Each structure stands twice: as C-alpha cells, then as structure tokens.
Amino acid sequence: MPDVTLIIYAIVCIILLSFVVFKVFIAPQLRRKRVLKTAFPQSWHQILNKNFAIYNLLPHSLKIRLQKLIQLFLLEKKFYGCQGLTLTEEIRVTIAAQACLLILNQPRAWYSKLQSILVYPGAFTVPNAQYSNEGIISNAPSHRLGESWHNGRIILSWDDVINDSRCPQRGQNVTFHEFAHQLDAEDGYTDGIPILGPKHSFQHWSRLMAEELARLRHEVIVGIPHVINQYGATNPAEFFAVATETFFTHPHQLATHNPALFQVLQSYYQLDPRSWTKNHLPNEN
C-alpha cells in the first residue's frame, strides 16, 4: 500500500504548482487577450489628438498598432502620482503612447524590467552628492525633469511631458529620453547599447556611436551648430537617449546632419519618422 501521506503531499504539490503556473504564465496571457479584444476608448483618441502631436501624423496602420500597445502597457505598468499629483486618464495615456512609440515595431522589446512610472507635477528635486578635492561632500539639490532607474522605475515631470508631447519642434522629449534608457538597460547595462537584433552588428553599433559621440563633443567645444542636444555629449548612455529624442522629433534634420546615425537608429527602431510627413514635423526647421 502506498503511503497515504505521500500521496496527499504529491496532490498538494501538484495543485500548488498548477496554481503558480496559472498565475504566472496563463492568467497574464488571458488578460492580454481580453484587453486586445477591447475597443480603443474614444476618450483616449481625444487625449492623444490633443496631447501627442506625432500621433496625428501616423498612418492608420501604425496608429492601430500603437493603440494595442498602449492598452497592454496600461494593463501591466503601474502609475503613481507624487507631490499631490492626482493621476488621471490623460496622464497615463499620454505617457503610455510615447513610451510605446519607441517599441512600435520592435517585437522583442517590451520594457521587461519596468514596473512603475512615478509622475511629479513639475520638475522635481533630488540630492546631488558632490566631492571636492579635500573630500568634502556637498548635497546641493539638483532639479530633474526625469529619471530612469535599474530597479524598474521611471520618474517624470508631467509639465515637461505634456509640453514636449504637444511641441515636437522643441527637439526634446523627456518621455522618449527616459524610456530609451530603459531599452538601453534591458541587457543589464546602461551603456548606450540596447539589446540588438540579429540584423545588427554589435561592433558596428559601438564604433558608430563612439564616432558620433566624439563628433558631438567636438562640435560643442568648437561651437559648430549641431542638431543633437549637447547633453548627449555627457556619456554613451545619454548620447543614445538624446539621439532617440532627435530621431523622433527632428528626423529630417538628423538624417541630413548625421545620416549614418539616423540609419542605425532607423534600423534599430524599425521606423522612419520622415515618412509620417512629406517634409517636416510641425515647425521643424
């Protein structure tokens, strides 16, 4: 006769294992399928038409794809309001749309490590430890528009999110910037080299980005006009994030002034923002 205790133990283990498998693997897929069958809310259309200038330029096929990604993003990522900010549908949808534009044609990318987005009403202040030659530490506050963390968090200033989203002619976008950092960090390193697909050469990417970073630094030093914001000269990670901003907001300028960089970003994102308009984004110089 088999041991009854062992049989009961085995049954309990099977039940527990089945529960874990369902909760971790099956239930999320069911929720995703259910969401994808849901129509994109008309109120969300209105939010994006008002708040996201690039959304209005997309062809219908890309809009539909973006809408599905937005629905999944809002299902799986948590938003938190900070400093008294009340989270609204407008805030969540506006941020989600810009985040999802970066992964619109990237089936392998899904901000896998990102768990939460913290939103402040405006620029926020963080301690900024600094060391002098004598070893003195200064904790002078530093004002930030956004931050991206390895522990699965992004922090954003809503004032800057909405201003950048409505006015791509500014040439900057804090949402694109911080979510580009998340893509960069998905391999465990924030070094300006995201996870590359089989069509991309690590050596080619590294060499080109290093050359373009050196070029930007030279242009900044000698005062040569440059389309990429000089903050991109800080380090390779910031260069990739700032170049991403420029790729989506000033694509024609970037293709003209930095054609090799534009081509490698076009290949990575699998998008060509130039095709969304015949000439330029609104007010692009």
Side-chain angles (χ1 to χ4, degrees):
M1 291 287 292
D3 191 319
V4 175
T5 303
L6 289 177
I7 294 176
I8 295 174
Y9 178 77
I11 293 173
V12 171
C13 288
I14 292 172
I15 293 173
L16 290 175
L17 179 61
S18 300
F19 174 78
V20 171
V21 170
F22 177 82
K23 185 175 182 179
V24 175
F25 299 103
I26 300 176
Q29 292 302 320
L30 293 176
R31 286 195 295 269
R32 291 184 117 209
K33 289 181 180 180
R34 184 167 60 250
V35 166
L36 290 175
K37 291 180 181 179
T38 304
F40 195 74
Q42 183 60 34
S43 62
W44 294 9
H45 277 295
Q46 295 170 354
I47 288 170
L48 295 179
N49 286 332
K50 180 182 71 171
N51 287 353
F52 193 16
I54 292 177
Y55 177 79
N56 296 310
L57 305 175
L58 297 176
H60 180 71
S61 60
L62 290 184
K63 273 189 178 180
I64 297 300
R65 194 178 307 165
L66 181 61
Q67 291 165 8
K68 296 302 180 184
L69 286 176
I70 292 170
Q71 289 176 291
L72 292 176
F73 187 94
L74 293 178
L75 170 69
E76 299 181 356
K77 309 303 180 184
K78 304 296 183 182
F79 284 74
Y80 300 94
C82 303
Q83 288 187 343
L85 178 69
T86 299
L87 279 176
T88 62
E89 192 175 66
E90 179 182 24
I91 293 173
R92 296 171 69 249
V93 171
T94 302
I95 292 174
Q98 294 171 84
C100 291
L101 183 66
L102 270 59
I103 59 173
L104 188 57
N105 275 352
Q106 294 192 78
R108 295 173 60 253
W110 180 241
Y111 303 119
S112 58
K113 296 182 179 180
L114 178 66
Q115 299 176 3
S116 56
I117 300 96
L118 284 65
V119 188
Y120 282 77
F124 51 95
T125 303
V126 298
N128 186 25
Q130 296 179 337
Y131 298 84
S132 69
N133 292 332
E134 293 77 22
I136 299 174
I137 301 176
S138 170
N139 285 314
S142 174
H143 300 287
R144 305 287 176 86
L145 309 182
E147 286 187 341
S148 177
W149 291 74
H150 284 282
N151 62 359
R153 292 188 301 166
I154 275 182
I155 309 175
L156 295 169
S157 156
W158 171 241
D159 281 349
D160 292 277
V161 166
I162 194 66
N163 288 334
D164 295 344
S165 181
R166 289 177 176 174
C167 304
Q169 66 269 20
R170 290 157 56 101
Q172 61 190 48
N173 186 295
V174 66
T175 312
F176 292 162
H177 185 104
E178 302 306 337
F179 278 91
H181 279 318
Q182 283 289 313
L183 293 176
D184 183 6
E186 287 199 338
D187 62 355
Y189 303 94
T190 306
D191 55 4
I193 307 175
I195 297 176
L196 303 175
K199 295 182 179 180
H200 301 89
S201 163
F202 177 87
Q203 289 76 15
H204 174 68
W205 179 285
S206 302
R207 182 177 65 254
L208 176 65
M209 287 297 186
E211 291 172 354
E212 292 289 337
L213 173 56
R215 174 184 173 184
L216 176 60
R217 287 173 171 170
H218 173 73
E219 291 174 347
V220 170
I221 291 172
V222 302
I224 298 175
H226 43 273
V227 63
I228 302 171
N229 188 289
Q230 66 182 30
Y231 185 64
T234 305
N235 57 50
E238 295 300 344
F239 181 78
F240 170 64
V242 173
T244 292
E245 294 181 68
T246 311
F247 175 76
F248 284 102
T249 60
H250 282 172
H252 298 276
Q253 287 185 355
L254 186 63
T256 298
H257 294 282
N258 303 76
L261 176 60
F262 181 88
Q263 289 175 4
V264 77
L265 291 174
Q266 178 187 0
S267 178
Y268 171 69
Y269 285 111
Q270 293 294 297
L271 291 167
D272 186 350
R274 296 173 303 176
S275 67
W276 302 336
T277 57
K278 293 181 180 179
N279 296 307
H280 303 284
L281 286 165
N283 298 325
E284 184 186 350
N285 295 322

